[in-house]
Structures are given as C-alpha cells and as structure tokens.
Amino acid sequence: MEIWINPACSKCRSALTLLDAEGADYTVRRYLEDVPGAGEIREVLDRLGLEPWDITRTQEPVARELGLKEWARDAESRGRWIAALAEHPRLIQRPIITADDGTAVVARTDEAVRDALSR
C-alpha cells in the first residue's frame, strides 16, 4: 500500500502512527514533492469512487484564488478540477491510502486507516 502525505499534517502523522502500530507494509509518498499527474489523480479517484471536488481542500488560499467554490461540479468540469489538483497538489485532501486490493481511502480517521488495512 501507498500513503500520500504532507508531513506537516496531523491527520497524516496519525495515520502513519497507526500503520506503524499495526505493522503495516507501506510506502510513503510526499505528494507535495512527488506531485501526481492528472492520470494518477484520475486513477486514484476511480479507486476511491469519488469525484475530484470530493477530495479538494476548498479552504486553501489557492482554492479561493482560483474560485473553486464557484466551479461547476459535473462531468464536463471534471477535467478542469483534475488539472487544478495536478497543478496545485496542496488542494488534494490527505492522507490518501491506496490499498493492495486496488481500492483507496481518504484516511482522515483511524477507522478509515483500519479499513485500508483490512483490504
């Protein structure tokens, strides 16, 4: 499994602590440094079963600058959202765990981390 983290994020640190406590085998991806491209974001969204606006941190300053709250949330706008996430990775909700079974979870709670571990 892989976990996308921002080391400054307390939810990310909590998820790592739980993974370590459970003896999980995982790879850390600091997604602000190793930025996922649009194709990777599409793949993770498919694994999550979510749309790009579902994993967008709309309170970030860059989100306000881009006016994301006013963007349409429909199939025609999906590519625009994905491009924004790829260009501004700080907008991506964290942490995201891609599980070994091909699924993924936004692991903001201990329950979500445990869910990923059970897959």
Side-chain angles (χ1 to χ4, degrees):
M1 90 177 42
E2 181 177 80
I3 182 169
W4 292 9
I5 69 155
N6 173 352
C9 168
S10 63
K11 300 281 187 191
C12 294
R13 291 191 307 271
S14 293
L16 291 174
T17 298
L18 183 53
L19 290 173
D20 289 341
E22 296 293 328
D25 182 25
Y26 65 92
T27 303
V28 171
R29 179 171 185 175
R30 293 178 178 212
Y31 72 94
L32 295 178
E33 299 164 15
D34 182 8
V35 179
E40 276 184 287
I41 293 170
R42 277 188 195 88
E43 179 185 327
V44 166
L45 287 167
D46 289 345
R47 291 173 79 169
L48 287 165
L50 297 173
E51 293 297 337
W53 45 85
D54 296 327
I55 66 162
T56 300
R57 297 172 54 84
T58 58
Q59 298 304 314
E60 290 289 326
V62 69
R64 288 191 292 276
E65 290 170 21
L66 294 171
L68 288 182
K69 285 191 176 183
E70 286 77 43
W71 287 16
R73 296 176 182 215
D74 56 24
E76 288 180 18
S77 301
R78 191 172 198 261
R80 182 181 185 198
W81 282 86
I82 291 170
L85 293 173
E87 186 175 342
H88 306 282
R90 190 166 297 281
L91 293 173
I92 299 171
Q93 190 59 263
R94 59 190 184 251
I96 294 176
I97 296 176
T98 54
D100 293 336
D101 70 351
T103 61
V105 297
V106 178
R108 295 189 56 75
T109 65
D110 287 354
E111 293 78 26
V113 175
R114 287 190 181 92
D115 181 39
L117 285 168
S118 70
R119 296 176 184 206

